[in-house]
């Protein structure tokens, strides 16, 4: 393609430096937010005002900040649940199902200790709390492990499997908390029973202590991928399973491990949202919306390029966007689901930007066409398709 | 960025009518192509093909053959220069254009759809195959065409069931059925048995009598060039080194033109110092990915300090043999002993740990990870080694040091240990892989096609390294499709045909003709034969 | 019992349309894991369009159109821009999930239009689905276009040097596949389950995607699988027909998803692959770049 006296060429990249990849991620975010401005315009709101409302509420408002932080913790954990298998080249879109199973497992512990009867049952938090966390992680890990095992053992498509497991877990939660299910609220409303006040999670600087999971995991996962033999094997398997097998790595076990780990982290996200966030403390009726929020983890993971440390700012931003988006929706009288739409637009922009990971655009001055040496220069018989 | 092609009224039959013997059918003038990164693959190449002429293009890997071929076939466009057919300038924007103008291509790596039948492959993309396929009609026409040139092939067979020679026939028929007047053949005799080669050369002679121009592109096989071509153009470093009548050429002269310096046709091989048996393979059978028996009751022993040369045409079980030994493929029957201990079912990692080293033929897909740095690629054989892995944490400094050593010892042209493997050329990548595996000082080295596709310098280097491993007491299983190379390096030759080792022949009693017959399946065991 | 079977056939019809769309995609070598998203978009916009214009025709046209556009988008990403097909497909799914939630919510509730007529008790589109399966089988196996599509899905480099325009053909496949998926979505929202609700497609797209894997890329087997899953889906909604009183209704809702996983595992076993595994298009999911 030529423009003026220049030739614009699209060339495949041999390599992409890390900083450039990060730059494209940031650019994609910016372009996505810009494009989403049209959704606001279309809905009759000013994009500038909308973004102002979103950011002001999410990051500078006493009511908004705790919500943003809780959402941030949830999203960061969901993102980790996505990126651990992702680094091994596998798609975990089953965070949702793993979260449901983690939530059920955590409440199963409370149920076993008799905490269903009333929210005033005095239970020993030093004993029950750790068990709840453990159970949540185990529940999520088991759910993830199914997909990981099937992927590793028989190469069963993990996207379809994790999605199917999402629906299975979704209905299992309904079974447990609705229509007289064992975890149903004593009041008979179709939602889970309330966590006894004695088991409410401690806070750190006004935030649920689950923030510690996020921070510890950020460091631990970074160390895992950058320095350890297991992390090395996960990355190798992700780039080329054939080469990994050749080098003697057990790809079946790697597949199982990453899904166990990812699922376990999703379980922690479940504990966080269903048992540690002030104001919830139960499996609510609209648990499906909580579960679907986990899909934000896919976008955060892709933008963060699978990097656990980069996940922190990205998840914080997305946490703010989704909380602020919901607020702006009410304030500016927009339809339900602004946050979902934002997720969709950011995702598709991000996909489009993948182009730049593979190609670069080169603009160079046009060289004059050389004259071929020797032989006659006969008629241009077959020149179709023009210069 | 698709450009709609204006179909000018071009009538191939009229265009190619009345070809005179010796007439210039195709001429390429000043063909120049530079790749991003600055490599000048073709530098002002002039070249022409006449009717009834076989005009060979000779050159090493990297000399620019592939680029020139792809330009003539429209796969890539030259930066400068022009192509003329019968004196009229043509522009090929895609293979479609080239095919329309009567250029046919017979690829080295056959461009056929394995799952489809022969006739479907021949019809694929044919302008007359519009709407509902009329297979019967096409079959009759192709059969008639095959008759003319003396080809034989079952048009209903699936392509994956055919031998390499038969697949090549399909490609030739496909090109001719499309009305090719110039037939480009990429490495026409590679992957063929000696018998198939002979048949092919006869067909080429017959085709050139039919006023076709035939252009074989050849890397190594100088005798083939001398035997079939009328003219030969030698490429070196992207330029035409010489263009001469074949009758004025001989092997030594062509080799010198190709390489640019006098060439020795032999690597120095010291006498063998054979020791204890390292690997014993006893009646091993295994299946291929498709489920058929790929290894059929194979037995042999390789001793320390010995090279076993596994010869054969691609697809006769050599690949599966390498994978079975490396632990990447399950064994159906039989057993494998390493240093006297059974490893038949040992996992891959256990074999590396016990001193098995494997350099696979698929260097980019299996032997290395393109997105990994060279250090990380070297770690593929060290991530489990207690010297480099302390409590699950990899020792990066030590790995880097080791990588630097390998780069130096194997003379790898790379900017440093932290570049990605995919930026290396094929030869340098192979050196990294060999260096990594040999740095483990394996007791058993399995080298699958270690020199395939490398230039002469890298080939010699790799061969030298195999001999060094042998001198240090490794047992080496060396798999190659090149009989000259096998005879040059092996202590014992194991020709394979249809999953069986036909015979085990000490190198001093091996001759090319017998082995050629064995790998073609046409060898009759005579009484008294060793 | 009869209404139950008729409803099952209608569910099968939707699986068939969506599955055939994905099958055409995949025979051309393009994996589109965003099928659920395309169906969601076709369903939601079809629903909105039909309700606002009070015209089924407009609803279906909009469904087909948006499906084709999303297919085209997947094509632009995965064919022209060289984006990983899974990444692009996931992108399309999340995009659709997010946008349709926003676009559809003001329309939450029933369609409120007179139901479409039936022929012999079921939607006439059922017969169209059967004919379409036959038609696609015929095109794929008996025509030069089908030969070219199959070749592009098996070995695009071979197709290219045979003079086939790989990218153009793949675009054809993704657009046609997208249109079929969009139509399937519209049919779901305008006929099968004409009540808009948050994420009301309930994984039908993912089940259809799995159906293509089960079908061994054969339209007839795909139709057979669609019949089975149509039946299963109806059963999961009306378990009392088969085993009254056993399990809660929520447990039954899991059945189609669990069966999907089990069948997927079955067709992935070594035993199955050794016998029928070779039917998978060899280039499925792999990007193709000329040169």
């Amino acid at each position: 393609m030529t423009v003026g006296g220049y030739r614009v060429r699209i060339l495949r990249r041999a390599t992409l430096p890390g900083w450039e990849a990060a730059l494209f991620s940031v650019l994609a975010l910016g372009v996505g937010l810009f494009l989403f401005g049209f959704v606001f315009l279309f809905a009759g709101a000013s994009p500038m005002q909308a973004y102002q409302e979103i950011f002001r509420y999410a990051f500078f408002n006493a009511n908004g900040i705790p919500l943003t932080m809780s959402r941030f913790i949830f999203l960061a954990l969901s993102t980790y649940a996505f990126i651990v298998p992702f680094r091994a080249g596998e798609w975990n879109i089953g965070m949702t199902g793993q979260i449901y199973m983690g939530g059920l497992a955590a409440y199963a512990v409370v149920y076993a200790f008799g905490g269903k009867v009333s929210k005033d049952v005095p239970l020993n938090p030093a004993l029950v709390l750790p068990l709840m966390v453990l159970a949540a992680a185990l529940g999520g890990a088991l759910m993830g492990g199914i997909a990981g095992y099937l992927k590793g053992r028989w190469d069963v498509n993990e996207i379809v499997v994790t999605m199917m497991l999402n629906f299975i877990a979704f209905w299992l939660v309904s079974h447990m908390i609705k229509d007289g299910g064992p975890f149903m609220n004593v009041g008979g409303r179709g939602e889970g029973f309330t966590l006894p006040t004695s088991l409410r999670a401690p806070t750190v600087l006004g935030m649920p202590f689950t923030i510690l999971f996020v921070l510890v995991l950020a460091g631990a996962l970074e160390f895992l991928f950058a320095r350890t033999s297991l992390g090395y094997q996960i990355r190798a398997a992700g780039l080329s399973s054939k080469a990994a097998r050749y080098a003697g790595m057990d790809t079946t076990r790697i597949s199982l491990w990453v899904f166990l780990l990812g699922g376990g982290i999703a379980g922690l996200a479940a504990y966080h949202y269903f048992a540690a966030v002030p104001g919830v403390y139960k499996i609510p009726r609209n648990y499906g919306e909580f579960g679907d929020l986990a899909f934000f983890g896919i976008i955060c993971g892709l933008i963060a390029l699978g990097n656990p440390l980069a996940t922190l700012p990205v998840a914080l931003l997305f946490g703010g966007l989704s909380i602020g988006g919901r607020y702006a929706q009410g304030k500016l009288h927009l339809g339900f689901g602004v946050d979902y739409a934002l997720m969709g637009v950011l995702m598709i922009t991000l996909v489009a930007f993948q182009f730049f990971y593979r190609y670069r655009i080169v603009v160079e001055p046009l060289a004059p066409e050389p004259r071929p040496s020797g032989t006659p220069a006969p008629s241009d018989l077959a020149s179709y398709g023009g210069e | 960025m698709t450009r709609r092609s204006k179909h000018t009224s071009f009538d191939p039959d009229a265009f190619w009518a009345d070809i005179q013997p010796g007439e210039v059918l195709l001429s390429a003038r000043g063909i120049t192509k530079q790749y991003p990164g600055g490599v000048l693959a073709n530098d002002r190449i002039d070249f022409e093909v006449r009717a009834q002429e076989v005009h060979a293009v000779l050159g090493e890997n990297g000399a620019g053959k592939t680029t020139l071929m792809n330009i003539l076939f429209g796969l890539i466009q030259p930066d400068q220069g022009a192509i003329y057919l019968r004196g009229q300038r043509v522009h090929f924007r895609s293979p479609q254009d080239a095919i329309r103008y009567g250029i046919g291509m017979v690829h080295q790596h056959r461009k056929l759809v394995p799952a489809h039948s022969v006739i479907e492959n021949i019809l694929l993309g044919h302008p007359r195959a519009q709407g509902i396929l009329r297979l019967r009609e096409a079959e009759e026409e192709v059969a008639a065409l095959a008759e003319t040139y003396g080809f034989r092939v079952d048009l209903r067979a699936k392509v994956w069931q055919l031998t390499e020679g038969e697949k090549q026939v399909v490609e030739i028929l496909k090109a001719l059925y499309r009305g090719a007047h110039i037939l480009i053949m990429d490495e026409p005799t590679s992957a063929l048995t000696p018998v198939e080669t002979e048949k092919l050369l006869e067909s080429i002679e017959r085709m050139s009598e039919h006023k076709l121009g035939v252009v074989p592109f050849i890397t190594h096989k100088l005798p083939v060039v001398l035997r079939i071509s009328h003219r030969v153009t030698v490429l070196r470093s992207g330029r035409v080194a010489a263009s001469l009548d074949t009758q004025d050429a001989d092997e030594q002269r062509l080799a010198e033109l190709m390489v640019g310096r006098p060439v020795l046709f032999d690597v120095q091989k010291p006498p063998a110092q054979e020791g204890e048996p390292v690997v014993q393979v006893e009646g091993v059978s295994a299946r291929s990915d498709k489920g058929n028996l790929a290894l059929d009751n194979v037995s042999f022993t390789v001793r320390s300090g010995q090279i076993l040369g596994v010869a054969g045409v691609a697809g006769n079980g050599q690949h599966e043999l390498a994978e079975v030994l490396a632990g990447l493929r399950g064994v159906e029957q039989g057993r494998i002993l390493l240093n006297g201990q059974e490893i038949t079912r040992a996992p891959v990692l256990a074999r590396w740990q016990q001193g098995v080293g494997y350099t696979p033929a698929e260097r980019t897909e299996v032997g290395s990870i393109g997105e990994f740095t060279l250090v990380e690629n070297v770690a593929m054989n060290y991530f489990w080694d207690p010297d480099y892995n302390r409590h699950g944490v990899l020792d990066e400094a030590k790995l880097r040091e080791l990588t630097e050593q390998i780069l130096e010892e194997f003379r790898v042209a790379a900017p440093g240990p932290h570049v990605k493997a995919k930026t290396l050329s094929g030869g340098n990548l192979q050196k990294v892989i060999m260096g990594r595996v040999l740095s483990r000082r394996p007791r058993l080295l399995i080298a699958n096609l270690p020199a395939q596709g490398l230039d002469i310098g890298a080939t010699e280097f790799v061969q030298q390294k195999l001999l060094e491993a042998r001198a240090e007491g490794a047992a080496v299983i060396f798999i190659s499709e090149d009989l000259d190379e096998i005879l040059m390096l092996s202590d014992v030759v194991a020709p394979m045909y249809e999953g069986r080792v036909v015979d085990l022949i000490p190198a001093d009693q091996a001759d090319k003709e017998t082995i050629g017959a064995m790998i073609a399946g046409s060898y009759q065991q005579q009484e008294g034969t060793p | 019992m009869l209404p139950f079977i008729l409803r099952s056939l209608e569910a099968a019809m939707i699986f068939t349309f969506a599955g055939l769309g994905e099958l055409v995609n995949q025979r051309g070598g393009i994996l589109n894991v965003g099928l659920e998203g395309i169906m969601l978009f076709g369903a939601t916009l079809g629903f909105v369009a039909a309700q606002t214009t009070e015209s089924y025709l407009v609803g279906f046209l909009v469904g087909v159109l948006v499906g084709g556009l999303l297919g085209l988008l997947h094509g632009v990403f995965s064919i022209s821009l060289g984006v990983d097909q899974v990444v692009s497909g996931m992108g399309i799914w999340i995009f659709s999930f997010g946008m349709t939630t926003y676009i559809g919510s003001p329309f939450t509730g029933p369609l409120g239009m007179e139901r479409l007529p039936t022929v012999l008790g079921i939607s006439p589109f059922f017969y169209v689905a059967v004919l379409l399966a036959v038609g696609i089988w015929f095109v794929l196996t008996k025509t030069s276009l089908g030969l070219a599509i199959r070749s592009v899905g098996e070995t695009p480099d071979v197709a290219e040097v045979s003079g086939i325009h790989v990218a153009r053909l793949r675009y054809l496949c993704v657009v046609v596949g997208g249109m079929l998926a969009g139509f399937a979505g519209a049919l779901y929202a305008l006929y099968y389950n004409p009540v808009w609700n948050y994420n009301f497609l309930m994984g039908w797209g993912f089940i259809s995607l799995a159906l293509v894997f089960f079908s061994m890329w054969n339209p007839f087997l795909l139709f057979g699988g669609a019949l089975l899953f149509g039946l299963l889906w109806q059963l999961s909604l009306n378990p009392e027909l088969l085993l009254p009183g056993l399990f809660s209704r929520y447990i039954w809702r899991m059945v189609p998803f669990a069966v999907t996983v089990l069948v997927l595992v079955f067709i992935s076993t070594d035993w199955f692959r050794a016998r029928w595994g070779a039917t998978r298009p060899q280039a499925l999911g792999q990007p193709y770049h000329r040169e």
Side-chain angles (χ1 to χ4, degrees), chain A residues 92 94-105 135-150 158 161-173 256 259-264 266-267, chain C residues 254 261:
Chain A
N92 180 14
M95 294 90 80
T96 304
Q98 291 145 19
I99 283 169
Y100 297 148
M101 293 308 275
L104 288 180
L138 274 178
L142 277 178
M143 196 64 171
I146 296 172
Y149 180 78
L150 295 179
E158 78 280 14
V161 169
T162 48
M163 201 64 209
M164 294 297 117
L165 291 177
N166 285 347
F167 286 106
I168 291 174
F170 178 87
W171 292 115
L172 184 63
V173 176
L256 181 59
F259 268 98
L260 283 175
L261 191 54
Chain C
M254 298 179 194
V261 173

Side-chain angles (χ1 to χ4, degrees), chain C residues 95-123:
Chain C
F95 172 67
S96 305
F97 173 61
M99 286 308 287
T100 55
T101 299
Y102 177 67
I103 294 170
S105 351
F107 298 85
T108 304
L111 181 64
M113 290 167 69
E114 199 180 324
R115 281 188 70 75
L116 282 164
T118 58
V119 176
L120 301 175
I122 51 175
S123 165

Side-chain angles (χ1 to χ4, degrees), chain C residues 35 37-51 53 55-72 100 174-190:
Chain C
L35 186 62
I38 298 185
M39 286 178 75
L40 255 178
F41 236 120
T44 303
L45 287 195
F47 185 93
V48 170
Q51 200 175 51
T53 61
S55 156
Y56 275 116
L57 183 65
V58 173
F60 282 118
L61 284 179
V62 166
V64 171
L65 186 71
V66 70
L69 283 176
L70 285 171
L72 185 67
T100 55
V174 289
V175 170
V176 168
M179 286 164 71
L180 286 175
F183 178 73
L187 200 53
Y188 179 89
L190 296 180

Side-chain angles (χ1 to χ4, degrees), chain B residues 139-432:
Chain B
E139 270 172 7
E140 279 167 19
E141 288 171 8
V142 174
L145 193 63
E147 184 88 359
T148 315
Y149 295 101
F151 292 121
R152 258 207 212 133
V153 66
D154 174 6
L155 296 175
R156 295 281 176 93
K158 299 280 186 206
V159 163
W160 62 266
Q161 300 168 316
L162 304 183
T163 66
E164 278 304 308
E166 289 170 325
K167 286 183 202 163
Q168 189 176 46
V169 167
V170 177
E171 287 223 312
I172 296 172
L173 281 176
K174 178 172 179 170
L176 295 177
Y177 189 58
R178 289 289 286 263
H181 284 77
I182 294 155
L183 201 60
I184 301 170
M185 306 184 81
D186 186 11
E187 303 286 351
T189 62
S190 82
L192 296 192
T193 63
V195 179
E196 285 175 324
T197 305
E198 203 48 47
K199 268 204 236 159
L200 171 72
L201 299 186
E202 281 165 23
S203 309
I204 290 181
E205 276 163 21
R206 199 165 316 145
M207 285 190 287
S208 74
E209 284 160 17
H210 277 81
K211 294 187 181 173
L212 284 159
V214 181
V215 191
F217 280 67
I218 291 170
T219 309
H220 295 303
K221 306 216 169 150
L222 301 179
V224 169
V225 174
L226 294 172
R227 156 88 197 274
I228 59 162
S229 70
H230 305 108
R231 276 187 73 76
V232 53
T233 291
V234 183
L235 297 185
R236 185 172 74 231
S237 315
R239 292 188 191 178
V240 175
S243 192
L244 61 167
D245 284 331
T246 309
Q247 57 196 22
D248 303 334
D250 61 41
E251 257 186 69
Q252 192 63 39
R253 170 110 195 271
L254 289 178
E256 281 183 34
L257 284 168
M258 259 168 80
V259 184
R261 61 178 162 86
V263 179
L264 300 171
F265 277 101
D266 222 350
V267 172
Q268 293 301 311
K269 186 172 93 174
Q273 305 250 315
E274 291 169 15
E276 294 296 301
V278 172
V279 65
Q280 288 155 277
V281 174
E282 297 174 358
V284 165
S285 299
R287 295 197 175 271
S288 75
D289 292 336
K290 284 213 165 73
N292 50 313
L293 203 61
L295 276 188
D296 185 0
N297 195 16
V298 167
S299 301
F300 58 78
T301 296
V302 191
R303 293 168 174 278
S304 161
Q306 200 181 42
I307 296 183
L308 177 78
V310 178
V313 179
N316 276 288
Q318 311 94 308
H319 186 70
E320 285 81 2
L321 175 63
E323 292 196 333
V324 158
L325 289 169
L328 290 163
R329 184 174 292 277
V331 171
E332 194 144 286
Q333 259 176 21
R335 53 183 207 148
I336 304 167
L337 303 181
L338 183 72
N339 299 322
Q341 285 183 327
E342 178 154 357
I343 57 161
T344 316
R345 313 227 171 269
V348 181
L349 187 60
R351 299 189 196 209
W352 283 107
Q353 288 165 337
Q354 287 169 41
V356 175
Y358 172 38
T359 61
E362 314 92 327
R363 291 163 207 151
T364 48
E365 268 179 75
V366 178
S368 66
I369 297 180
E371 286 292 332
F372 267 1
T373 66
L374 299 183
V375 176
E376 287 170 319
N377 269 288
V378 166
M380 281 170 76
N381 289 143
Y382 286 90
F383 67 92
W384 44 267
D385 187 323
D387 288 344
Y388 295 83
N389 170 346
R390 253 173 253 133
H391 311 295
V393 179
L394 294 177
D395 189 333
E396 205 143 325
K398 252 176 125 170
L399 281 169
R400 194 183 59 238
E401 209 172 293
L402 174 69
T403 307
E404 278 164 354
Q405 268 172 30
I406 290 172
L407 295 187
E408 194 183 322
E409 190 192 333
F410 278 74
R411 286 184 252 143
V412 179
H418 288 293
V419 297
K420 286 188 178 175
K422 68 177 181 184
T423 60
L424 296 194
S425 71
N428 282 311
L429 185 64
Q430 177 68 343
K431 286 176 176 180
V432 171

